[in-house]
């Protein structure tokens, strides 16, 4: 082995060790920084509007956006926490007072296919000896309770991480112009001098399009369906609306919530003009994303909407919520580079020809 090749291998090995070490040090903050960059890119146009309207600096505008966003987040969380606390206290009071009464099942329940007989037996035992039934299923109840508390704790940690990412994103927005220049320089170094700015603009536009086309549509759908739930008088309308928002972000159909609610309304309130009209409204509102998504998801992005949609769905499946943004960016950049490679194919004039000897 020559000395020059050995030097190259040693340098490459040292660089690889340095890169791996840096990644291990940075990996605990990877999700936090990714969310911070996504939030900064999404909210930066709002910062420029506030800066222009108030005539203030980037830092103060970013601080104002972060404070308003935290207040908007904390108000519904506080109300939701109070509602859950009151519900738990009421349930404990009812259980301690011995006021829990389960009505006996109808005889027709036993004739239901597959689950009818077992369901009738458990239901009958619940109506006569609820304590004994609870003791019988105590291990399953304990396991379910622990899983529910674990999910609740995970949601709380996710919320804290989101607030921290929002604060860090505000710092990133305060240095938005220099950050954009740095991103252009890095992209130019990776993809070539003539493509750096275009790639940077494409990534920025894709992230904002996903934020508008996924989270924005989910929020609009939550408002539309929530109004219908309130008019119907559905108990827990706020929690169900929040579930609709989460389903929309996860790219799952809102009909998973609206159809059972419509069935509940017809069972409890019967069929009337009001219930039929409100049920039709809620059902149509649950399908609104099919109309809004093609209009908003690919807007402002120089790639076809199906590419962004497939990237969002695939990123969600492979990387969770953060993959919802990373997937479309990767697919959009790959799509652009692929067609640039196709268009840059050599012509016949560029192919060297051999002269006959």
């Amino acid at each position: 082995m020559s000395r020059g090749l050995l030097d190259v291998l040693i340098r490459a090995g040292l660089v690889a060790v340095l890169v791996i070490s840096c990644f291990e040090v940075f990996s605990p903050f990877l999700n936090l920084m990714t969310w911070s960059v996504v939030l900064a890119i999404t909210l930066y146009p709002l910062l420029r509007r506030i800066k222009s309207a108030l005539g203030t600096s980037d830092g103060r505008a970013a601080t104002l956006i972060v404070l308003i966003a935290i207040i908007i987040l904390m108000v519904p969380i506080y109300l939701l926490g109070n509602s859950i606390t009151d519900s738990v206290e009421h349930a404990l009071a009812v259980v301690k007072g011995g006021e829990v009464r389960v009505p006996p099942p109808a005889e027709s329940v036993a004739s239901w296919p597959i689950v009818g007989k077992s369901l009738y037996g458990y239901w009958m035992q619940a109506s006569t000896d609820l304590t004994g039934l609870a003791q019988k299923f105590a291990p399953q109840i304990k396991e379910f309770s622990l899983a529910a508390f674990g999910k609740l704790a995970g949601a709380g940690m996710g919320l804290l991480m989101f607030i921290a990412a929002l604060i860090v994103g505000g710092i990133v927005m305060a240095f938005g112009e220099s950050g954009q220049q740095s991103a252009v320089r890095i992209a130019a170094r990776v993809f070539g001098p003539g493509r750096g700015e275009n790639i940077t603009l494409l990534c920025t536009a894709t992230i904002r399009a996903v934020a508008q086309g996924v989270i924005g549509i989910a929020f609009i759908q939550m408002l539309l369906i929530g109004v219908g739930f309130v008019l119907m008088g559905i108990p827990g309308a706020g929690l169900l609306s929040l579930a609709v928002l989460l389903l929309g972000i996860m790219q799952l159909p809102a009909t998973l919530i609206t159809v059972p609610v419509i069935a509940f309304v017809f069972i409890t309130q019967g069929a009337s003009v009001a219930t039929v009209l409100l049920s039709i409204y809620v059902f149509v509102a649950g399908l609104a994303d099919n109309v809004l998504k093609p209009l908003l998801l690919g807007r402002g992005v120089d790639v076809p909407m199906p590419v962004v949609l497939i990237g969002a769905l695939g990123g969600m499946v492979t990387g969770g919520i953060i993959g919802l943004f990373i997937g479309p960016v990767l697919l959009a950049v790959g799509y652009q580079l692929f067609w640039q490679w196709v268009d840059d194919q050599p012509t016949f004039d560029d192919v060297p020809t051999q002269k006959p000897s």
Side-chain angles (χ1 to χ4, degrees), residues 76-107:
I77 291 171
Y78 173 77
L79 296 176
L80 179 61
N82 281 343
S83 176
I84 294 175
T85 303
D86 294 339
S87 300
V88 171
E89 290 179 352
H90 177 71
L92 291 176
V94 170
V95 172
K96 290 180 180 179
E99 302 175 4
V100 180
R101 295 290 185 272
V102 178
E107 295 293 336

Side-chain angles (χ1 to χ4, degrees), residues 208-225:
R208 290 172 183 167
V210 171
Q212 295 174 0
V214 174
I215 299 179
I217 290 175
F219 187 76
I220 293 173
Q221 203 167 20
M222 179 197 71
L223 293 178
L224 293 175
I225 296 176

Side-chain angles (χ1 to χ4, degrees), residues 3-15:
R3 182 178 181 83
L5 180 58
L6 181 61
D7 290 341
V8 171
L9 293 177
I10 292 175
R11 291 174 184 174
L14 293 175
V15 171

Side-chain angles (χ1 to χ4, degrees), residues 259-337:
V259 171
V261 169
I262 292 172
F264 171 79
V265 169
F266 277 104
I267 292 173
T268 56
Q269 302 181 15
S272 63
V273 176
T275 56
V276 170
L277 291 178
L278 288 174
S279 298
I280 293 174
Y281 165 77
V282 169
F283 183 76
V284 173
L287 301 176
D289 59 328
N290 297 318
V291 178
L292 296 175
K293 197 172 293 181
L295 297 176
L296 297 178
L297 190 57
R299 189 174 66 177
V301 183
D302 193 20
V303 295
M305 189 276 294
V307 175
V308 181
L309 179 59
I310 293 173
L313 294 175
M316 180 72 189
V317 172
T318 57
I321 300 297
I322 194 64
L324 194 66
F325 296 91
I326 297 177
V329 170
L330 294 177
L331 215 56
V333 172
Y335 177 87
Q336 285 280 19
L337 293 177

Side-chain angles (χ1 to χ4, degrees), residues 150-161:
K151 293 292 184 181
L152 186 61
M157 290 300 297
L159 177 64
L160 291 177
M161 192 193 76

